[in-house]
Amino acid sequence: MQIDKLRGEQLDQLFDAMLSLKNREECYQFFDDLATMSEIQSFAQRLQVAKMLLEGSTYSSIETDTNASTATISRVRRCINFGSDGYKLVVDRLKEQES
């Protein structure tokens, strides 16, 4: 995993902070303080791109629906194909919650 290079007390603390959030409103509050609007928008866009890729959408429809660049779509695709399965884990769990 790429993130292993960053593994340590500070990153553990960040993840523990995220895991301590109890609801969507607390997430809004925390992320509002933690990241810029652009960073948050990028995170949300990448997750939507991953969801669409995993559902079999084409690059063209993903570009249209998310306004993501082909470079972003390709990066997300690379993570899905060669990454740590984080996108798949989260997208699958979100689907379970929708059912």
Side-chain angles (χ1 to χ4, degrees), residues 24-68:
R24 186 176 292 151
E25 189 56 38
E26 287 185 2
C27 289
Y28 272 101
Q29 289 175 279
F30 181 63
F31 277 86
D32 189 43
D33 290 344
L34 179 69
T36 67
M37 295 302 102
S38 179
E39 290 167 332
I40 295 167
Q41 190 172 29
S42 291
F43 292 149
Q45 182 185 63
R46 288 181 202 144
L47 181 58
Q48 185 62 32
V49 167
K51 183 175 184 252
M52 292 180 75
L53 284 169
L54 289 165
E55 291 171 349
S57 297
T58 64
Y59 274 42
S60 176
S61 65
I62 295 169
E63 275 185 285
T64 300
D65 291 353
T66 67
N67 293 318

Side-chain angles (χ1 to χ4, degrees), residues 70-85:
T70 55
T72 295
I73 299 168
S74 294
R75 266 193 303 273
V76 173
R77 164 71 73 201
R78 195 169 33 254
C79 289
I80 289 170
N81 290 341
F82 305 109
S84 302
D85 289 329

